[in-house]
Amino acid sequence: MVESRRIVLASRPEGAPTSANFRTETAELPPIEEGQVLLRTLYLSLDPYMRGRMSAAKSYAKPVAIGEVMVGGTVAEVVDSRDPSLAKGDVVLANSGWQTHDVVPASSVRKLDPDVAPVSTALGVLGMPGFTAYSGLLKIGQPRAGETVVVAAATGPVGSAVGQIAKIKGARAVGIAGGPKKCAHLIDEFGFDAAIDHRAPDFAEQLKAAVPDGIDVYFENVAGAVADAVYPLLNTYARVPVCGLIANYNAAGTATGPDRLPAFYGRILIKSLTIRGFIQTEFVRELYPDFLRDMAEWIADGRVRYLEDITEGFDKAPEAFIGMLEGRNFGKVVVKVAD
């Protein structure tokens, strides 16, 4: 029998998650059967959507139950296999969540080629975040040459890919990030045309100056005060792919204050805006093969660069997750579980 250490949801957070919402356990895994593989986790992905799964509120996916393993993408090594498609030592992309080992059907994982890129990128630029950027921007945002694309949380794995893909398509890329260091990275490493610090006291004024021709595509990752500054600058027929609302994820209770929904609807009508929420899985069948081909090519020729924020040690996953929600990360948040 193989033992797996796992981090489970101990309680539902009220507001921002704390370490008390998680519990570490050890569990015995069943023997593998025909068509299954035993996996050893090498890297664990931490992503903002996981905060939503900690809540019991109705959403696009069922919440993690109390006592269940926290969900998440993983890169893992095959330790044992009872399926001819995979052999011991193969490295695969899986969805084992926050645990050190797992037994899964071989059909549920995808074999990775370490020669294409470091295997950890299957959790970032060559994985779900990268595909989120690719599908949301190209399918909904549809940037055209000469247009202006604005994206918040721009040094994250989704935001950085959005800006770089926009540049590839001939658009002007403006990134919004927190702090001078992140803003400098957007310009110097990711090739954005402009970067605005949302923590600056004159953020709204800086943003307006950075988009003299208005905004044609706003890739929504954040909402909140950032969106308040963006929406007045949207051009007629602007497109807004709504990917995430991280500013609201830790909100407790119902928002108070004046009802701003009528003014929001008025802006949609007057400017003929297209605002479309999406979950990246809806585009997998149509776009995923194109994404894998295009993104691998863009990484190889240097048109797309990526940044990883790697934390060493399985036990540090809750701390790294809490820090990510507070904006302390710089790049794609990954936990290195094993060599």
Side-chain angles (χ1 to χ4, degrees):
M1 303 292 288
V2 174
E3 288 190 340
S4 176
R5 295 182 64 232
R6 59 188 191 176
I7 297 174
V8 303
L9 182 64
S11 60
R12 302 204 184 279
E14 296 182 7
T18 70
S19 58
N21 299 128
F22 304 94
R23 183 175 65 248
T24 303
E25 301 178 343
T26 301
E28 288 189 346
L29 297 179
I32 65 171
E33 300 177 352
E34 289 296 327
Q36 294 184 326
V37 289
L38 170 63
L39 302 179
R40 180 175 71 101
T41 302
L42 303 178
Y43 294 97
L44 167 65
S45 178
L46 300 182
D47 300 283
Y49 79 84
M50 296 173 182
R51 174 60 183 86
R53 301 289 182 88
M54 298 175 74
S55 169
K58 186 176 181 180
S59 184
Y60 64 89
K62 70 176 184 177
V64 176
I66 301 297
E68 280 189 347
V69 176
M70 282 290 296
V71 295
T74 55
V75 168
E77 177 187 25
V78 175
V79 177
D80 195 7
S81 174
R82 295 194 64 184
D83 188 279
S85 66
L86 293 168
K88 181 179 179 180
D90 285 344
V91 178
V92 299
L93 176 65
N95 283 289
S96 293
W98 297 23
Q99 55 185 337
T100 61
H101 296 78
D102 197 14
V103 173
V104 301
S107 59
S108 70
V109 304
R110 177 168 66 86
K111 186 176 177 180
L112 301 175
D113 183 355
D115 293 332
V116 173
V119 292
S120 59
T121 60
L123 302 174
V125 68
L126 278 170
M128 182 274 291
F131 182 64
T132 299
Y134 181 95
S135 59
L137 181 64
L138 299 185
K139 191 69 177 179
I140 302 171
Q142 301 181 10
R144 294 182 282 270
E147 290 190 326
T148 296
V149 175
V150 172
V151 58
T155 58
V158 175
S160 60
V162 165
Q164 292 176 94
I165 296 171
K167 293 286 291 180
I168 290 170
K169 299 301 178 180
R172 184 169 179 268
V174 177
I176 300 171
K181 182 179 178 181
K182 290 183 177 181
C183 288
H185 200 89
L186 287 175
I187 303 294
D188 299 337
E189 297 297 328
F190 292 139
F192 279 57
D193 295 286
I196 314 299
D197 183 356
H198 67 78
R199 297 174 183 167
D202 60 343
F203 162 64
E205 291 77 10
Q206 287 192 37
L207 178 62
K208 184 176 181 179
V211 292
D213 297 322
I215 299 170
D216 301 292
V217 180
Y218 173 50
F219 197 99
E220 178 65 279
N221 286 322
V222 173
V226 170
D228 289 344
V230 167
Y231 274 83
L233 305 175
L234 293 176
N235 290 329
T236 301
Y237 305 122
R239 290 82 68 196
V240 182
V242 180
C243 169
L245 308 168
I246 195 169
N248 302 331
Y249 287 171
N250 289 330
T254 305
T256 59
D259 182 5
R260 297 193 295 171
L261 194 59
F264 179 69
Y265 276 137
R267 182 171 285 129
I268 293 173
L269 175 62
I270 293 168
K271 291 196 172 183
S272 298
L273 304 179
T274 298
I275 300 176
R276 161 109 145 72
F278 75 102
I279 308 301
Q280 52 85 25
T281 50
E282 66 190 272
F283 298 125
V284 167
R285 185 182 298 274
E286 177 184 0
L287 295 177
Y288 203 71
D290 292 343
F291 158 72
L292 290 177
R293 180 199 65 225
D294 291 344
M295 191 62 81
E297 177 184 318
W298 295 337
I299 291 172
D301 65 20
R303 282 185 287 175
V304 169
R305 305 182 73 172
Y306 61 91
L307 178 66
E308 294 178 316
D309 188 327
I310 299 179
T311 296
E312 299 264 356
F314 177 70
D315 292 329
K316 294 183 179 178
E319 177 185 348
F321 177 70
I322 292 168
M324 176 191 66
L325 293 178
E326 295 174 350
R328 288 190 267 128
N329 62 297
F330 195 173
K332 172 70 186 89
V333 181
V334 176
V335 176
K336 185 177 181 181
V337 177
D339 292 321

